[in-house]
Amino acid sequence: KKSAGQMKFGVRGFLNKASASNYQLQRDKNDFYLKPLKEHTSSLIFMHGLGDHASSFLDFFLTPEYSIAPESMKIILLTAPSMPVTVNGYMIMNSWYDIFSLNMDGTKEYDQSHVEKSAERIHKVMENEARVLGGDMSKVLIGGFSQGCSMSLYSALTHTEDVGGVLGMSGMLFDCIEIPKLKESKKNIPMFLYHGKADPMVPCKFSKAQYSELIREGFNISFTEE
């Protein structure tokens, strides 16, 4: 866990980097906003994984050769709440939801109420960005890594409106999502999902099987494993 001094020093460095890039960096408590210097035409809301912090992805989005975002896209990096995580011996860390256990087949026992509470927060950010963009939710994209990937899928599939796309890495689809009951329009959301074959936390074959079910149901998914 980073100390306040380390965080302050790190953010100062990112501020300097942002000033030399195409963004203005703003911080709201533990969340970070990269506002484009050009006309704002779309937004990406991105979530980190278990035990991480939004600041971990600043370097990625501020480095031109790494960033996947166009210069007119606003980047919003959210930080999960701090809570005891059961599977990690109740250690307090940033987590979008509590994980009770990790099973050998790749499934997880998790606190669904935490998932829903985190999704409520993410939905509010989505709605605010849509308002800023003229009420057009299709100009809002959502993504994340690991836990953040799972939350991005859940948030996109459970909101009443349809986002413009989902970018997910090394995550899973919560089993509380009843695919047949999802709105038909959700099938039109472009979803790019990536998973490393050697992922020790969430086995690639487990996520691939979940995504394959979505593909069979007609969802617009591009899945890459390597």
Side-chain angles (χ1 to χ4, degrees):
K1 186 177 180 179
K2 297 178 181 178
S3 67
Q6 288 175 317
M7 183 65 71
K8 184 177 180 180
F9 177 81
V11 171
R12 188 184 302 126
F14 286 123
L15 281 169
N16 293 334
K17 193 166 187 177
S19 65
S21 71
N22 299 306
Y23 294 102
Q24 176 188 12
L25 174 61
Q26 294 184 355
R27 181 177 181 180
D28 181 10
K29 297 180 180 178
N30 289 321
D31 301 331
F32 293 86
Y33 295 77
L34 295 174
K35 298 186 175 182
L37 299 180
K38 294 188 174 183
E39 181 184 3
H40 175 206
T41 61
S42 61
S43 296
L44 169 64
I45 304 165
F46 196 86
M47 278 86 59
H48 61 78
L50 176 65
D52 209 347
H53 191 279
S55 61
S56 295
F57 287 89
L58 280 171
D59 198 43
F60 174 78
F61 285 106
L62 286 174
T63 304
E65 55 264 41
Y66 297 148
S67 181
I68 54 174
E71 295 179 356
S72 59
M73 177 177 279
K74 178 180 178 182
I75 310 296
I76 301 168
L77 304 174
L78 301 179
T79 296
S82 181
M83 67 174 69
V85 176
T86 303
V87 75
N88 285 346
Y90 300 98
M91 185 180 299
I92 296 175
M93 60 185 65
N94 294 335
S95 183
W96 296 103
Y97 50 89
D98 189 17
I99 301 173
F100 301 136
S101 65
L102 298 175
N103 303 322
M104 293 298 292
D105 61 357
T107 58
K108 295 181 180 181
E109 301 295 330
Y110 56 90
D111 192 322
Q112 186 176 336
S113 68
H114 290 174
V115 172
E116 293 170 354
K117 185 175 181 180
S118 288
E120 287 179 12
R121 173 188 169 196
I122 296 164
H123 284 167
K124 288 179 181 178
V125 178
M126 290 164 53
E127 291 160 4
N128 183 67
E129 289 307 303
R131 279 194 296 271
V132 172
L133 292 163
D136 191 347
M137 186 64 79
S138 70
K139 293 181 179 180
V140 179
L141 289 82
I142 188 169
F145 173 76
S146 193
Q147 265 199 348
C149 169
S150 301
M151 286 307 310
S152 66
L153 285 167
Y154 183 88
S155 299
L157 293 173
T158 58
H159 196 274
T160 55
E161 296 185 71
D162 299 335
V163 294
V166 176
L167 170 65
M169 295 169 282
S170 301
M172 67 172 194
L173 187 70
F174 292 119
D175 56 13
C176 63
I177 296 177
E178 298 183 71
I179 298 175
K181 293 184 178 181
L182 294 174
K183 287 178 60 179
E184 187 70 17
S185 63
K186 296 299 178 183
K187 294 180 179 180
N188 299 323
I189 299 174
M191 300 183 187
F192 173 79
L193 302 173
Y194 171 89
H195 213 111
K197 291 182 178 179
D199 190 330
M201 298 302 295
V202 182
C204 181
K205 63 179 182 180
F206 172 69
S207 293
K208 184 177 181 180
Q210 290 185 317
Y211 300 155
S212 294
E213 183 178 354
L214 287 174
I215 293 172
R216 285 194 298 271
E217 292 294 327
F219 285 78
N220 183 11
I221 290 178
S222 173
F223 177 68
T224 301
E225 56 178 318
E226 59 182 7

